[in-house]
Structure formats: C-alpha cells, structure tokens
Amino acid sequence: MYDTIAEGYDELYGEEQERKLKKIAYVIKGRVLDIGAGTGIVAKHFPNVVSLDPSWKMLKKAPGLKVLGMAEYLPFKADSFDTIVSLTALHHTHITKVIQELKRLKPKQMAFSILKKSKQCESIVNHMQKAFPNVEIIEEEKDIILIIK
C-alpha cells in the first residue's frame, strides 16, 4: 500500500509526522532506529538514524542509512541502538513479535506513537504496558504516545 502513496506521502502526512516528532524529540539520543520510518522524518532531523521500513519506495526518500525490513524481524544485534522510535506504524505489526524484538535489542529509551483510530490501539498500549512497566503515556488528539526509559 505505501509503495503506491510514497511519492506524495510527505505532502499528505509530513506536517502531522513533524508534530509527533516534536513531542518525542527529547527522548531521541545516540544511535537511533526508526521503525516504520517511511520517508525518513526522524533521519531528516537527527544524526545516527537507521531508517527501517518494508516499503523501498518510501525508504528511497529517506536520508542516511536505510534498511528494508519489518518490525517483527529486526536484523540487528542487541545493544545496536540507544533509542528506538516509531511514528504511527506499530498498528501495522504483530505487536507481540515486535515487543520480543525490542527486548532483544535492549535500547536505553523508546518512543512510539499509536494512531487512536486504529483497531489495535488499545491492544498495543496494553501489550506495551505489560512488557515495559515504566511506560509514560501522553494522549494527543489523534495519537497515544508511549515513552519508555
């Protein structure tokens, strides 16, 4: 699906993604993995970002290091990243597999935005709270933001 909208993605959603990034920017430090990076919004504003996405057409627009892949099967070693972020992408994943991968990678901090209107929103938030007991929840108009330190 995202291959078909890659060309106009930033025009459609760029401003909204920028607002979400500003909300989590204080968490982003060191080596960063952006899961579901799309066109690379995080990499456009921060150094040392690896952008991971299953859509090559989206990733081609991202600056810096790019990895074609899925959140459920992260091709990285433990301790590869200080920070892991994901803006409005986790509702496209199998969250229990993603949580296993996040725990395996052992980042120091994480930040995720979950689209409220997603059918999986409540389930994702519940799974994250169970997996990471120190989850800070920030309610926004369209998203729930999860900060884990």
Side-chain angles (χ1 to χ4, degrees):
M1 174 195 140
Y2 283 94
D3 279 349
T4 60
I5 65 168
E7 199 56 44
Y9 184 86
D10 286 340
E11 189 176 319
L12 288 170
Y13 302 108
E15 207 173 283
E16 185 177 327
Q17 295 295 76
E18 292 275 351
R19 282 194 301 274
K20 292 173 191 180
L21 181 58
K22 285 179 184 173
K23 297 282 183 184
I24 66 164
Y26 72 96
V27 175
I28 301 173
K29 297 173 179 78
R31 298 160 298 158
V32 181
L33 174 62
D34 182 6
I35 296 174
T39 59
I41 187 81
V42 178
K44 290 174 185 173
H45 295 281
F46 291 90
N48 304 315
V49 175
V50 174
S51 298
L52 179 123
D53 200 275
S55 168
W56 182 246
K57 286 187 178 180
M58 294 283 277
L59 273 179
K60 283 192 331 189
K61 297 182 168 295
L65 295 172
K66 307 167 233 258
V67 174
L68 187 66
M70 297 174 63
E72 296 90 342
Y73 308 101
L74 298 172
F76 308 104
K77 295 178 183 177
D79 301 313
S80 295
F81 301 99
D82 300 302
T83 306
I84 297 178
V85 299
S86 181
L87 297 174
T88 324
L90 292 183
H91 62 279
H92 294 298
T93 69
H94 188 288
I95 196 62
T96 56
K97 289 182 181 179
V98 173
I99 288 170
Q100 289 173 348
E101 288 292 273
L102 295 173
K103 286 184 169 192
R104 182 182 64 78
L105 289 184
K106 302 177 194 163
K108 294 178 180 83
Q109 58 270 337
M110 299 181 278
F112 309 104
S113 72
I114 316 297
L115 193 62
K116 281 184 179 179
K117 69 179 183 178
S118 162
K119 292 176 185 173
Q120 294 87 0
C121 180
E122 188 177 331
S123 175
I124 291 169
V125 171
N126 288 338
H127 276 89
M128 294 296 259
Q129 285 180 304
K130 286 178 187 168
F132 305 102
N134 56 340
V135 176
E136 176 188 347
I137 297 176
I138 303 167
E139 279 223 35
E140 293 290 315
E141 181 184 341
K142 293 182 180 182
D143 295 273
I144 292 179
I145 296 173
L146 307 175
I147 305 292
I148 303 162
K149 296 184 198 175

